[in-house]
């Protein structure tokens, strides 16, 4: 096993469609806000439903508050997920599956109980709106 293998993260093409949508939405919001061109309509199209716009923002705000450092996102043109993007997707997946133990294990070393609780609640709400479009 090489260092490159250990450090590799999946590409957008290699993850589930809902995961790719979430990552692309994260990147879109960051870039659009930096450029002053944010649109709820565009975010809704990115995620797949307007019902997920508010829960998406709440999830990202809760994660951003609890994260020990600013959340690292890759550039929109980069296919590989950053470690933070991958972890946020894993948290959403655990929330969608109602796997609180898995969720906590992923971030208990870096986020305290209160932060995990708020992210969990936000992730559950977000995933209840987007999982419907995948089924």
């Amino acid at each position: 096993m090489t260092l490159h293998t250990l450090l590799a993260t999946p590409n957008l093409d290699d993850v589930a469609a809902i995961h790719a949508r979430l990552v692309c939405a994260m990147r879109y919001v960051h870039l659009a806000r930096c450029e002053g061109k944010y649109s709820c309509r565009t975010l809704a199209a990115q995620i797949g439903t307007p019902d997920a716009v508010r829960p998406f923002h709440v999830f990202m705000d809760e994660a951003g508050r609890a994260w020990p450092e600013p959340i690292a996102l890759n550039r929109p043109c980069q296919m590989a997920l950053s470690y933070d993007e991958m972890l946020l997707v894993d948290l959403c997946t655990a929330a969608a599956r109602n796997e609180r133990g898995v969720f906590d294990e992923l971030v208990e070393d870096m986020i305290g109980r209160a932060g995990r609780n708020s992210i969990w609640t936000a992730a559950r709400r977000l995933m209840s709106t987007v999982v419907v479009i995948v089924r």
Side-chain angles (χ1 to χ4, degrees), residues 12 16-28 43 46-47 52 56 59-60 73 85 88-89 92-93 126-127 130:
L12 286 170
I18 187 59
H19 297 153
R21 284 179 175 272
L22 289 170
V23 170
C24 290
M26 292 174 205
R27 293 175 182 183
Y28 162 74
L43 177 59
Q46 191 73 54
I47 297 175
F56 174 83
F59 170 73
M60 292 304 296
L73 303 175
E85 290 168 341
L88 289 166
V89 164
C92 285
T93 300
L126 170 62
M127 295 311 288
V130 297

Side-chain angles (χ1 to χ4, degrees), residues 5-18:
T5 306
L6 290 172
L7 297 176
T9 58
N11 284 336
L12 286 170
D13 291 339
D14 300 331
V15 298
I18 187 59

Side-chain angles (χ1 to χ4, degrees), residues 8-113:
T9 58
N11 284 336
L12 286 170
D13 291 339
D14 300 331
V15 298
I18 187 59
H19 297 153
R21 284 179 175 272
L22 289 170
V23 170
C24 290
M26 292 174 205
R27 293 175 182 183
Y28 162 74
V29 169
H30 176 73
L31 188 62
R33 283 184 170 169
C34 288
E35 294 179 352
K37 297 180 180 180
Y38 171 80
S39 162
C40 285
R41 193 170 311 150
T42 304
L43 177 59
Q46 191 73 54
I47 297 175
T49 175
D51 296 336
V53 170
R54 182 163 167 54
F56 174 83
H57 283 296
V58 172
F59 170 73
M60 292 304 296
D61 287 346
E62 293 298 338
R65 267 194 282 283
W67 231 246
E69 297 177 5
I71 294 173
L73 303 175
N74 281 345
R75 296 171 191 245
C77 60
Q78 189 168 354
M79 291 302 291
L81 275 66
S82 73
Y83 290 106
D84 286 352
E85 290 168 341
M86 192 170 59
L87 183 52
L88 289 166
V89 164
D90 289 344
L91 292 175
C92 285
T93 300
R97 294 178 178 162
N98 200 25
E99 295 174 344
R100 181 60 195 253
V102 171
F103 180 95
D104 283 336
E105 284 179 20
L106 290 168
V107 290
E108 67 189 349
D109 291 344
M110 64 184 243
I111 299 174
R113 183 63 141 164

